[in-house]
Amino acid sequence: MKPEITKEQAEAIEFLREHYDDRGILELYAEDTIGHIHDAYGHDCGSLYDLDLIDFAAALINGYEVGKSPEEELHEYYIEALHTARDETTGHDIQDAIRYTLETLGIKIEGVNA
């Protein structure tokens, strides 16, 4: 089974694979030294510690799927609002509520309010 990981975690795995084989990467994780990669190579791989050992090993062995970020999820919902609402006015109301919430929180999302 392929675990779902973040884009940042996928980038960290691919970076580590440029320097280590999967066994070496697992050893770094188990020895709690992935955090020191930044000191050695200038690349932060600490996001991998958000994965438990089993999911991390599964990602290395079986591959992984990159999950959508919350921003990507919201953008997708924003676009679908017009198509899935019972009428066009409701769809626009949903979009207005999303934009208002993001503006209130000071968040910019490309394709929604940026």
Side-chain angles (χ1 to χ4, degrees):
M1 180 174 157
K2 291 184 178 183
E4 186 174 292
I5 64 175
T6 67
K7 180 180 177 182
E8 183 180 13
Q9 291 165 336
E11 289 172 357
I13 288 173
E14 295 311 312
F15 176 81
L16 288 171
R17 281 185 165 156
E18 292 174 12
H19 304 281
Y20 302 92
D21 61 12
D22 288 349
R23 179 185 203 92
I25 295 170
L26 277 174
E27 288 173 0
L28 289 170
Y29 181 96
E31 294 169 357
D32 198 25
T33 56
I34 284 180
H36 300 291
I37 294 299
H38 186 271
D39 298 335
Y41 298 103
H43 193 279
D44 184 12
C45 297
S47 63
L48 295 174
Y49 287 124
D50 293 336
L51 296 169
D52 65 35
L53 179 59
I54 300 301
D55 287 336
F56 183 58
L60 291 174
I61 296 166
N62 302 326
Y64 50 82
E65 296 180 12
V66 178
K68 293 179 185 171
S69 69
E71 292 83 3
E72 291 168 329
E73 290 279 348
L74 187 57
H75 180 261
E76 188 175 290
Y77 179 76
Y78 178 84
I79 297 300
E80 289 177 6
L82 286 178
H83 303 293
T84 59
R86 70 185 138 95
D87 58 49
E88 189 173 328
T89 302
T90 303
H92 285 294
D93 289 345
I94 292 168
Q95 288 183 329
D96 288 343
I98 292 169
R99 282 193 307 273
Y100 175 79
T101 301
L102 292 173
E103 293 297 327
T104 301
L105 296 172
I107 299 169
K108 297 286 185 191
I109 297 178
E110 188 68 36
V112 178
N113 67 334

